[in-house]
Amino acid sequence: MSQAITKMLGYLETLGVNHSAHIDTRDISFNPDFRKQCEQNVCGNYQKNWMCPPNVGDFAELKEKALQYKQGILFQTVHQLEDSFDFEGMQEGMAEQSRILRTFLGWIEENSLITDFLSLGIGPCPVCSRCSILDGQECRLPEQAVASVEAYGIDVTSLVKHYGIPYNNGVNTVSYVSLVLF
């Protein structure tokens, strides 16, 4: 493992990440069926965010884009909930995962560890408080915009299990996963 990868994994620990792994993109399983949840508008952002389907792009194009990279850093945070219906706790966990991803990306750029990468987070892109698509405008910050792992059709369960990361972390918890490919 290179010194840069060791540094990245170590830095993620300081940010409070529960699990992380250096991955090979050949281990990623892609399945267009994972985007069906998006099409069912489970989160309410289908066609309402540039980084959500269908606006983020065609499944085949996204898969090809992801596979241009050879490796990546996968990381997960685990958040305790009051109970399985604690929506507010889930939202707080999602915000924390997004904050960690942003901090990590800033640190990577600041330390010039990698220059060409693709970051994938959770849920709709959190960069702008209101996505410009709602106003019929182009993305205001395309260099900072982040699509979700699921929008790319990545089988998160398979990927985390392949790298020894638990998908389910216990009763009354929620786990979030991000991926930075390079």
Side-chain angles (χ1 to χ4, degrees), residues 40 134 167-168:
Q40 293 168 3
L134 298 172
Y167 182 74
N168 185 332

Side-chain angles (χ1 to χ4, degrees), residues 41-117:
N41 203 21
V42 173
C43 74
N45 286 288
Y46 187 72
Q47 298 182 329
K48 295 180 181 174
N49 190 292
W50 280 114
M51 294 292 108
C52 289
N55 308 304
V56 69
D58 175 71
F59 169 77
E61 292 169 4
L62 296 176
K63 178 180 176 181
E64 183 180 324
K65 181 178 179 181
L67 290 175
Q68 290 175 1
Y69 300 94
K70 300 298 177 217
Q71 58 188 330
I73 298 289
L74 172 71
F75 66 91
Q76 179 193 66
T77 57
V78 180
H79 307 274
Q80 192 64 46
L81 303 174
E82 289 180 21
D83 56 44
S84 59
F85 299 103
D86 182 7
F87 184 72
E88 185 176 309
M90 291 175 201
Q91 292 298 105
E92 289 170 2
M94 185 181 278
E96 178 64 7
Q97 178 77 4
S98 294
R99 184 197 65 74
I100 288 171
L101 177 59
R102 285 260 165 250
T103 302
F104 182 53
L105 295 174
W107 180 82
I108 287 171
E109 290 176 349
E110 185 178 296
N111 288 281
S112 303
L113 292 176
I114 50 178
T115 54
D116 181 23
F117 58 88

Side-chain angles (χ1 to χ4, degrees), residues 93-182:
M94 185 181 278
E96 178 64 7
Q97 178 77 4
S98 294
R99 184 197 65 74
I100 288 171
L101 177 59
R102 285 260 165 250
T103 302
F104 182 53
L105 295 174
W107 180 82
I108 287 171
E109 290 176 349
E110 185 178 296
N111 288 281
S112 303
L113 292 176
I114 50 178
T115 54
D116 181 23
F117 58 88
L118 172 65
S119 61
L120 301 173
I122 52 170
C125 179
V127 174
C128 300
S129 58
R130 176 181 168 86
C131 186
S132 60
I133 197 169
L134 298 172
D135 301 318
Q137 299 172 353
E138 292 296 318
C139 179
R140 289 185 282 270
L141 301 167
E143 297 82 29
Q144 295 176 33
V146 178
S148 72
V149 176
E150 294 83 2
Y152 271 65
I154 293 174
D155 182 346
V156 175
T157 306
S158 171
L159 188 60
V160 296
K161 286 182 179 178
H162 182 82
Y163 284 95
I165 297 172
Y167 182 74
N168 185 332
N169 286 284
V171 177
N172 296 331
T173 64
V174 64
S175 305
Y176 294 111
V177 173
S178 295
L179 183 58
V180 178
L181 302 176
F182 51 95

